[in-house]
Amino acid sequence: MAEPRERPLHELLSRDMVDIYVGPENTHWILHEKLLCHRSKFFRNIFYDKKGSKNSTYGLPDDDDEPFRLFVGWLYSASLPQPAEEKELATLFDLYLMAEKWEIRALTVDVLETVRKWYHDSDTWPGLRRVQYIYANTESESPMRQLLVSCVARMLITGDSMPHHWENALRKNGQLAVDIIMCVQKWHIEPEMVPDTRRSSMASVVDEAEMTRDLKKQEAETNGGWQNGETNGHAEEETTEDGEETA
């Protein structure tokens, strides 16, 4: 079903109001019914049921106050504040989940643009924790997933090495790994830009594998020595996780 035709704010500020109670503390918001229902199919179904009766109160006990406050600001201004710090993205991601749940396309687009702009302007990439949060709370076709996966794919492709925490995450989350590969395929990278192992000698690959095995062996021997309390033939004092020496 198509979205309702966009209308100017003054036409949506009718006298009818609705009461929304948010979060475990039941924070009370009084909002213009016509405006809220015009923006959201979800709330249209809540306040105008198919039987023709009318509701005026609704509770959102599982939602948080801060992203809802941002939602109210957007509802009346059709704009979102630009985050000043990375930690402020947490509220934006919660707001995005609200936008998906409440079927508000315009808000979905605005949050996506705000998040995209933050990563672009700060020249940073999404952290693993943010990506995992979105994956745990969205469906496979979610545009926010697509945005974050595309950013992560570029970070990994252009980086010199795979960050250890990302390597562990991709080993555990096969869907994320597949999504990254599929994202890279959509870029249609020129074949000349991709190394072709079939055309070169495997000697260098063997040398690299042997070097990696030797390093792993050395690390294992070193770690084994520490575990036995010895290094270079001398006993070492144990330390706690806080770095304090123990007797």
Side-chain angles (χ1 to χ4, degrees), residues 126-138:
L128 176 59
R129 182 164 53 94
R130 304 290 188 212
V131 176
Q132 290 175 327
Y133 181 68
I134 289 299
Y135 261 72
N137 292 282
T138 60

Side-chain angles (χ1 to χ4, degrees), residues 202-233:
M202 294 301 295
S204 60
V205 178
V206 173
D207 291 341
E208 185 177 350
E210 289 179 345
M211 185 181 302
T212 301
R213 276 198 296 267
D214 290 342
L215 288 174
K216 287 182 177 179
K217 185 177 180 180
Q218 292 174 12
E219 289 177 359
E221 291 174 349
T222 301
N223 292 337
W226 278 105
Q227 289 172 3
N228 293 328
E230 299 178 353
T231 179
N232 295 328

Side-chain angles (χ1 to χ4, degrees), residues 10-38:
H10 71 271
E11 292 184 8
L12 299 172
L13 300 182
S14 63
R15 294 181 179 179
D16 293 329
M17 311 296 285
V18 292
D19 298 289
I20 307 288
Y21 294 89
V22 181
E25 301 298 323
N26 282 327
T27 304
H28 183 200
W29 292 86
I30 303 174
L31 304 176
H32 286 83
E33 175 191 76
K34 194 173 183 180
L35 174 63
L36 182 62
C37 294
H38 178 76

Side-chain angles (χ1 to χ4, degrees), residues 61 63 70 125 147 168 202:
D63 290 303
L70 268 187
W125 304 107
L147 169 62
N168 288 338
M202 294 301 295

Side-chain angles (χ1 to χ4, degrees), residues 33-225:
E33 175 191 76
K34 194 173 183 180
L35 174 63
L36 182 62
C37 294
H38 178 76
R39 297 278 191 241
S40 167
K41 179 180 178 181
F42 175 86
F43 286 112
R44 284 200 297 276
N45 291 335
I46 293 298
F47 293 113
Y48 302 114
D49 65 29
K50 295 179 180 179
K51 297 179 180 178
S53 58
K54 196 172 180 181
N55 301 314
S56 61
T57 302
Y58 190 70
L60 296 166
D62 297 326
D63 290 303
D64 294 328
D65 286 325
E66 187 58 22
F68 193 83
R69 183 189 65 79
L70 268 187
F71 166 67
V72 173
W74 176 87
L75 186 65
Y76 286 91
S77 68
S79 64
L80 292 171
Q82 289 296 323
E85 301 177 81
E86 197 277 340
K87 64 181 181 181
E88 294 178 17
L89 294 180
T91 304
L92 281 170
F93 283 126
D94 285 335
L95 179 60
Y96 177 84
L97 298 179
M98 289 177 172
E100 280 200 347
K101 179 173 64 175
W102 298 339
E103 302 176 83
I104 310 177
R105 183 183 185 279
L107 179 57
T108 299
V109 172
D110 284 352
V111 177
L112 284 166
E113 286 297 325
T114 302
V115 172
R116 178 198 62 77
K117 189 174 187 301
W118 160 260
Y119 286 124
H120 176 270
D121 293 351
S122 63
D123 194 21
T124 57
W125 304 107
L128 176 59
R129 182 164 53 94
R130 304 290 188 212
V131 176
Q132 290 175 327
Y133 181 68
I134 289 299
Y135 261 72
N137 292 282
T138 60
E139 301 296 331
S140 58
E141 66 276 7
S142 169
M144 184 61 82
R145 275 200 192 192
Q146 296 178 44
L147 169 62
L148 298 186
V149 165
S150 183
C151 288
V152 171
R154 180 175 175 80
M155 175 190 72
L156 297 178
I157 293 298
T158 59
D160 294 329
S161 62
M162 171 80 74
H164 185 64
H165 61 289
W166 275 106
E167 180 180 349
N168 288 338
L170 295 179
R171 290 181 186 277
K172 295 177 181 178
N173 190 333
Q175 186 58 54
L176 176 57
V178 169
D179 289 347
I180 289 175
I181 293 172
M182 292 178 66
C183 176
V184 174
Q185 285 182 325
K186 290 179 181 178
W187 295 344
H188 300 296
I189 299 174
E190 292 294 330
E192 299 78 34
M193 302 296 294
V194 182
D196 189 347
T197 306
R198 300 169 302 175
R199 295 183 176 181
S200 57
S201 169
M202 294 301 295
S204 60
V205 178
V206 173
D207 291 341
E208 185 177 350
E210 289 179 345
M211 185 181 302
T212 301
R213 276 198 296 267
D214 290 342
L215 288 174
K216 287 182 177 179
K217 185 177 180 180
Q218 292 174 12
E219 289 177 359
E221 291 174 349
T222 301
N223 292 337

Side-chain angles (χ1 to χ4, degrees), residues 236-241 243-247:
E236 292 288 330
E237 295 176 319
E238 296 180 357
T239 59
T240 66
E241 291 182 355
E244 296 177 354
E245 294 183 353
T246 59

